[in-house]
Structures are given as C-alpha cells and as structure tokens.
DNA sequence: CGGATTTTGTTAACGCGTTCACAAACTCTT
DNA sequence: AAGAGTTTGTGAACGCGTTAACAAAATCCG
C-alpha cells in the first residue's frame, strides 16, 4: 500500500519534506516575534536570523509552500505568517488528550505554550482510580476506560502519553482503539502502532545523555587548532 | 577555529556521527530490557527490533564504536551494554542543575527516568524569591544568584532551562558565565551561546504542531493506491 | 575435516537535506 | 527611462545518513 502526497486543488503535486515541516513552526514563532516588535516586512536574512537557520534554507523551505515573497523587497510578515499557519493547520485549534497525570502530565496540562500555538488540552485521563475525579489545571481527570467516549465526543485526533514506560504500549493501543491517529509519546518506551497512525517520541533522558556524551569528549581530550 | 574529533588513546581517529550518538542511548535501553528478560546473547536483528531501527543501521552504528560482536553468534548483551555505556559516558553520574521550578521544572526534578540513565538532578534554581527556599523533590530551591557557587561546588557542566521563553537568553548567559558547557533548553525561545557550549532544544509545542500538520493532511485529502 | 549455516563488519549505492550561486524580478535614484 | 542596488526563488553541487548487499568469520553437523 502506498500513500501519495496530497495534491493541491489546482492539481499540482506538493510534497513538503519532513525536515521542512519540522521548521515551519519555528518560522511561525519568529514571525510572531517580529510582529510584536512592530516589524511588518522582513527579508529572508532577518527571518532566518530570528529563527536560527541559514537564510538559503529558509528560502528553500518557503519555496515548498509557494511564492509568498517579493523580490527586491522581502516578505510581508503578517501575510507569510498566515500562509504558514494555514499550511500547518494552525488556523484551527487542535484538541488533545493527555493520558497520565503524574508530574509530567500535570505539567503539560498547565503548559502555557500550547494555547498560543493552536493546541488545546481538552481532556485528562488516568488509570489510577485515586486520580480520577480530581481537577488539574481546571480539568477533571477522567478514567482511562472513558477514553473512547471522550475521543469521539470531542473529535480528538491527537493523544499524549505521559505514563511510565511500562504502560506506554497499552495506552497507545487504547488510544488507537479509541480513534486517535497521532500520538506524542513521552514515555521511555517504544510503542507499536498500525499504519496510518503517527507517533513522535520525546525522550527527556536521551537528550541529556547526548549532552553528556559531548561533555565527556570536551573534558577528555579535545584538540583545538587554527586561529 | 576548528575543533577536531577526539582521537583515541591508541591514536586512531574516531568520529562518531551525530545521528549515531543520538541512537546509542536507545540501544542501551534496549539492551537493559533484554537483560531484564534474561537474554544474555542477541543478534543485530533482535536488538534492532527492540530498539525500533533497521538492523543494518544498528550494525553500522555499532561499527563506529568497534567490533564488539561475534560473527555467526551475535552480541553478548552485558558486554555490549558496558561498551556503549562507556562510550557515552554513562559509567559515571552526571550532575545537572534545573533553572526554573515552575510546573515543568518541578516535573523534571521528580522525573524517575533520569536516575537510571546516569543523570542526577543536583540543584534547583529559580529567579522568583517566593520559590527560593522551598523544597521540591527533596531539593531546596536556590537563588539564581547562587548559580556560580553551585556550579563550581558540584562541578556541574549541564544545565536545564525550564523557564518562560522571555527569560531563556538571560538564564543561558548566566549558566555559561557560571561555567556550564551544555544546555538543554525547554523554553520556547532561541538562545545564543558562545562556541564550545552545546545547546539542545526540546519544544513541546512544535512536536504537537508537526502532528497537527499530518492530521490535517489525513483529514483533508490523502489518496491511497495499490493493494 | 569439510561443507552448510549463521551473523557480523564493511563497502558501495542510493536518497534526502543543506548549501551555494545566480538568474529573475522588484525598487530606487537620477 | 535606464542603470544600480536588493532580494527572492531555484537549479545544481555537495555531504551526510540510510539501506542494501556481500565477503569474512564464526558455529554446527555429518
């Protein structure tokens, strides 16, 4: 089975590379920052600097979306912001459900950064009966058993796993069974899902372990040459 | 100025690709899982499946470390585990300081997954006087002003930024000034650091925005062809 | 002991992403 | 109106990472 890239309404095939998709939210944030500074037009150099990327890469990325700049002038901040927002689906809010309201799940439910990026924590779910019924960040925690009803009622397509690693696979299975088709997994475990379901994994330990590796090298025996 | 890859004690130059370094902790976790299952020897297929990667990629990755397997047999789980642990510096514990004890910082300080991966949260720091002096996860929160003393005293080289985005750059500057040379940044902001300092960024919103992009495509107009 | 079998380590091909470099297109100045 | 100056959009080169494929090296079995 092969899934084709989505064709446009005008028939042109448009496949945006994964690497580019991952940077579009960064550009969006940079554009928001520029708007707050009262900047209404910017060059690819300006925007690239704000986003922390190479200007050529930025222009290449934007070229996948269309031709939204003006040669000799630059980009209209507000116009480009809207185009990117539309492309990544941020003209609407996305309801998500968080499974597991331990320390991490609670912190995520209170995270300020979501709402401004079109993410709304719509429901909290936990397997522990002692936690069910409590209120966290203004949301009443529901039972894991109620997941299918919650997902259907609120048309939720994105779930967040914030449980211990041992529970991750079962939670993933239940999320998929309930109808969720995208999962963000914070648990330190690999989860298997059927085709058609996207999983992204954030592993807090691994990020630190990568830093530790480089630290070890620095402390050990790096050599610096040149001027 | 150019930084060379670290040569080995035996003089052979060994540069491990970044992509491989990022996967070594995953292999470590998979090996630990196998040990718990009582498996003492495994093939690259077994291990790759547990780690969720292509077997060829696994063997390629391991080949950067050395030749720790036996043809026709496979890998000794415990031996390989030790070799990887040594390579990524996990034979020692790494002390880290968390700056910002809001919801996220508090959750990180309580995170169980760190200790088993050689990460020890050694200190908590916050700029808010109301938080200074309180105890979180058994650690007394110190003032941001005490950062240099804390970093020096405990020989900390890794710092975690868990503040709002607006404070991120100043915190990064102070971490660097205090002597920290690796930073894990959870704040939704770009931070600039001098050469020689590593920064990794985890952006919770962006992960969800990427999922939302794919959701939009699924819901919109994907086409499926073939059998 | 020798051939069949297994599995690693490595080389080579492939593909994706990044970066360079420049023509095209726009503004500004005179 | 024409030339000088900007800045985008993109074709081409490059480099890195992934994957396939296979020789080398070990075990197993008759």
């Amino acid at each position: 089975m092969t899934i084709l890239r989505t064709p446009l309404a005008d028939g042109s095939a448009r496949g945006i590379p994964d690497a580019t998709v991952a940077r579009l939210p960064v550009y969006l944030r940079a554009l928001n920052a520029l708007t707050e500074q009262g900047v209404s037009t910017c060059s690819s150099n300006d925007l690239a600097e704000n986003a922390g990327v190479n200007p050529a890469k930025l222009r290449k990325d934007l070229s996948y979306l269309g031709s939204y700049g003006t040669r000799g002038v630059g980009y209209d901040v507000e116009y480009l912001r809207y185009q990117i927002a539309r492309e990544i689906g941020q003209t609407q809010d996305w309801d998500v459900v968080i499974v597991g309201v331990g320390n991490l799940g609670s912190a995520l439910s209170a995270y300020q950064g979501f709402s401004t990026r079109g993410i709304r924590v719509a429901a909290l779910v936990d397997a522990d009966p002692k936690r069910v019924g409590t209120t966290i960040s203004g949301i009443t925690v529901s039972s894991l058993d109620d997941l299918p009803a919650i997902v259907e009622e609120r048309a939720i397509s994105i779930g967040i796993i914030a449980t211990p690693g041992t529970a991750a696979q079962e939670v993933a299975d239940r999320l998929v069974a309930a109808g969720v088709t995208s999962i963000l997994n914070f648990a330190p475990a690999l989860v298997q899902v059927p085709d058609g379901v996207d999983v992204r994994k954030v592993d807090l330990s691994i990020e630190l372990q990568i830093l530790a590796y480089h630290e070890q090298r620095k402390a050990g025996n790096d050599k610096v040459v040149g001027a």
Side-chain angles (χ1 to χ4, degrees), chain A:
Chain A
M1 196 168 88
T2 306
I3 299 183
L4 293 177
R5 295 287 176 130
T6 310
L8 288 177
D10 63 10
S12 65
R14 177 175 58 170
I16 300 181
D18 289 344
T20 296
V21 171
R23 282 187 295 266
L24 292 179
V26 178
Y27 302 155
L28 210 44
R29 174 165 300 160
L31 287 167
N32 287 332
L34 288 173
T35 298
E36 281 171 23
Q37 294 165 28
V39 178
S40 62
T41 302
C42 69
S43 69
S44 61
N45 272 352
D46 298 336
L47 185 52
E49 194 170 341
N50 269 274
V53 303
N54 183 303
K57 188 190 288 186
L58 170 72
R59 290 201 301 276
K60 189 90 175 157
D61 283 340
L62 294 184
S63 76
Y64 291 115
L65 309 189
S67 207
Y68 296 135
T70 307
R71 297 176 191 222
V73 179
Y75 300 94
D76 183 280
V77 172
E78 184 52 32
Y79 179 61
L80 183 58
R81 198 203 61 76
Y82 173 74
Q83 292 299 340
I84 295 180
R86 185 177 54 77
E87 186 69 36
I88 66 174
Q90 223 193 91
T91 48
Q92 61 176 290
D93 270 7
W94 292 87
D95 280 354
V96 304
V97 55
I98 298 177
V99 181
V101 288
N103 287 296
L104 184 58
S106 299
L108 291 173
S109 68
Y111 188 56
Q112 302 294 331
F114 287 154
S115 56
T116 55
R117 307 260 127 63
I119 308 291
R120 185 168 49 202
V121 177
L124 302 178
V125 163
D126 202 293
D128 185 346
K130 287 195 292 292
R131 285 173 175 164
V132 173
T134 62
T135 299
I136 295 176
S137 306
I139 302 173
T140 301
V141 177
S142 300
S143 166
L144 184 55
D145 296 327
D146 295 335
L147 200 53
I150 292 168
V151 168
E152 188 185 13
E153 188 187 342
R154 312 212 49 159
I156 292 174
S157 52
I158 302 176
I160 299 178
I161 301 178
T163 67
T166 49
Q169 183 61 58
E170 194 202 326
V171 168
D173 291 343
R174 296 179 75 154
L175 280 169
V176 170
V180 163
T181 47
S182 286
I183 293 175
L184 181 56
N185 179 24
F186 284 95
L190 198 68
V191 300
Q192 306 281 352
V193 296
D195 280 0
V197 177
D198 286 324
V199 176
R200 292 188 69 87
K201 184 159 161 43
V202 174
D203 194 310
L204 308 174
S205 296
I206 286 183
E207 298 299 327
L208 288 170
Q209 288 177 276
I210 294 170
L211 288 174
Y213 167 80
H214 291 293
E215 275 303 318
Q216 190 187 30
R217 302 214 120 196
K218 287 183 204 166
N221 43 9
D222 262 9
K223 288 204 174 165
V224 179
V225 289

